[in-house]
Amino acid sequence: IDDIHLHSCLLKKSCLANLPRYVKKDGRLAPMLERIRNSGRKTFLLTNSDWWYSSQIMNFLLGDSWVSYFDLVVVDACKPRFFSTGTPMQRVDTSTATLLPLSSSPPGPVVYSGGDHTTVTTMLGAKGPDVIYVGDHLYADVIKCRKLCEWRTLLIVPELSHEL
């Protein structure tokens, strides 16, 4: 499993080679994110995927300026560890995908790698219960989050869409 996800990236490369087949594009996504931000709330993207993969998926979904839909973008989150000890937070040079110290100011949009829920909550200027975190993995996104921090959670289960 580590090989397909981390070393060869075979699964990610296969997905990126045929995005329309593997990623469902929904025209309601951009307007929804805009409505959230226009209401005075903040949005953030938190993913275990690295910048290289995340940027290509998000470019497909929202276009080249996708980062502008979010107040904060964090890749390489290492969930579920993100909800406890986390990992050192770094800046991502989005032009090279290189990880840099937080004090650096690479060109391009501000994107972070790693971190923990306390740091992200502070960066958002929120209190734990003010954050609603939407995830698609029961253990890594919901159970660990609920046990280890105050964020509220929402689980997406596409397999149950036929029940609606």
Side-chain angles (χ1 to χ4, degrees), residues 7-145:
H7 305 298
S8 73
C9 295
L10 182 60
L11 182 62
K12 291 178 179 179
K13 289 175 183 174
S14 297
C15 178
L16 293 174
N18 194 353
L19 282 171
R21 179 177 178 188
Y22 297 110
V23 179
K24 184 177 179 183
K25 200 169 186 176
D26 190 327
R28 298 172 297 176
L29 180 59
M32 179 194 70
L33 291 168
E34 287 173 353
R35 279 194 311 275
I36 292 170
R37 294 192 73 201
N38 290 339
S39 73
R41 293 174 177 88
K42 294 185 178 179
T43 60
F44 67 101
L45 176 69
L46 177 71
T47 178
N48 281 352
S49 294
D50 58 12
W51 171 253
W52 168 79
Y53 183 72
S54 300
S55 64
Q56 293 182 71
I57 295 289
M58 296 307 293
N59 276 334
F60 174 74
L61 291 172
L62 292 169
D64 292 339
S65 62
W66 69 267
V67 174
S68 67
Y69 288 95
F70 301 96
D71 295 283
L72 183 62
V73 175
V74 179
V75 298
D76 304 313
C78 296
K79 298 173 284 171
R81 186 177 3 155
F82 175 88
F83 297 111
S84 58
T85 59
T87 59
M89 183 173 265
Q90 298 176 290
R91 289 280 299 267
V92 177
D93 180 335
T94 58
S95 62
T96 65
T98 305
L99 300 182
L100 303 168
L102 277 180
S103 58
S104 65
S105 297
V110 177
V111 175
Y112 297 94
S113 170
D116 60 77
H117 76 280
T118 302
T119 303
V120 166
T121 303
T122 301
M123 291 172 86
L124 292 169
K127 293 183 172 102
D130 296 337
V131 177
I132 183 161
Y133 174 67
V134 180
D136 64 355
H137 191 278
L138 181 60
Y139 178 75
D141 289 327
V142 175
I143 292 174
K144 282 300 190 178
C145 180

